[in-house]
Amino acid sequence: NQVLNRGSLTSFTGVNDKLEVAFPGSNSRIAAQLVRSSEDQDVAMIKISVPETTPKVEPYDNYDSIKQGDTAIVMGYPETSPPIYGFSTQSATSRAKKEIPDPTVSVGNIGRLIRPRKEVAGKREIENAYGDAFQLSVPATGESNSGGPVFDDRGRVIGIFVAKGADSSISFAIPIRYGQELMSIGSSGK
């Protein structure tokens, strides 16, 4: 992993020893496993086991047809939103406070399509800081929205939110095709 620190690139290594998923409106946590992550894009696939059926969303690869001005709806947890807390009883005398997921839904549009500019020896060469991405003009997005879905106006997932630009009115998402590629690598139908 790498992080930009005061103008210089610094490397660091970390271990993810606990990964949990919480659903909106619940203070319960479900253990998750990292299945795989992409070396090229800011995306990872995790797996959870839940006892009941959960609603699913439809991924829609509109890479070749998306255009500037198309609707972009971001669902996530921007850091600037106030947290919602729930309490659970740990014992007869103590209560634990846990943050309850309460996502925001922000509507805007695709401000710009950022695509690779050239190919060298059949390999894509990316000439921008965010890779192959959508630049979004969606208010109320930012830090902590990373990994959240970006929907089109029909409720289909067209991207994955990855970053907020220096100007808070601009943010970025990667096309859903990269998430779909990650899911299909070594897929065994599970």
Side-chain angles (χ1 to χ4, degrees):
N1 295 340
Q2 296 181 337
V3 65
L4 188 60
N5 186 9
R6 294 187 185 163
S8 65
L9 198 58
T10 305
S11 293
F12 66 94
T13 303
V15 175
N16 179 11
D17 57 359
K18 187 174 185 180
L19 182 59
E20 295 177 324
V21 172
F23 287 95
S26 172
N27 63 0
S28 299
R29 305 293 189 260
I30 300 168
Q33 295 176 290
L34 176 64
V35 176
R36 66 181 62 89
S37 61
S38 172
E39 293 182 21
D40 298 325
Q41 298 290 335
D42 183 13
V43 65
M45 184 170 63
I46 61 172
K47 182 178 181 177
I48 61 170
S49 294
V50 292
E52 65 277 348
T53 303
T54 57
K56 65 180 182 176
V57 294
E58 177 189 348
Y60 178 62
D61 183 2
N62 63 350
Y63 188 88
D64 296 322
S65 62
I66 194 166
K67 58 190 177 309
Q68 285 179 291
D70 284 355
T71 300
I73 303 165
V74 176
M75 181 183 287
Y77 302 92
E79 193 171 73
T80 56
S81 289
I84 304 295
Y85 294 102
F87 297 90
S88 61
T89 304
Q90 289 184 318
S91 69
T93 59
S94 72
R95 292 170 26 122
K97 180 170 110 172
K98 285 187 178 178
E99 190 169 340
I100 296 175
D102 189 29
T104 64
V105 176
S106 303
V107 180
N109 61 29
I110 303 294
R112 180 175 160 207
L113 300 173
I114 302 171
R115 301 289 193 224
R117 299 282 192 247
K118 61 182 179 180
E119 286 194 16
V120 176
K123 183 177 177 188
R124 288 189 300 193
E125 295 292 323
I126 306 295
E127 294 181 355
N128 65 72
Y130 293 103
D132 194 354
F134 304 144
Q135 180 176 310
L136 307 173
S137 299
V138 179
T141 58
E143 294 178 28
S144 299
N145 267 18
S146 294
V150 177
F151 298 95
D152 66 6
D153 57 359
R154 293 177 60 190
R156 301 172 297 190
V157 180
I158 59 168
I160 301 168
F161 189 93
V162 293
K164 176 184 81 118
D167 176 343
S168 62
S169 66
I170 295 174
S171 51
F172 300 90
I174 61 168
I176 194 59
R177 73 169 29 179
Y178 296 108
Q180 289 175 302
E181 285 176 6
L182 193 64
M183 288 187 285
S184 68
I185 297 171
S187 176
S188 59
K190 294 182 182 177

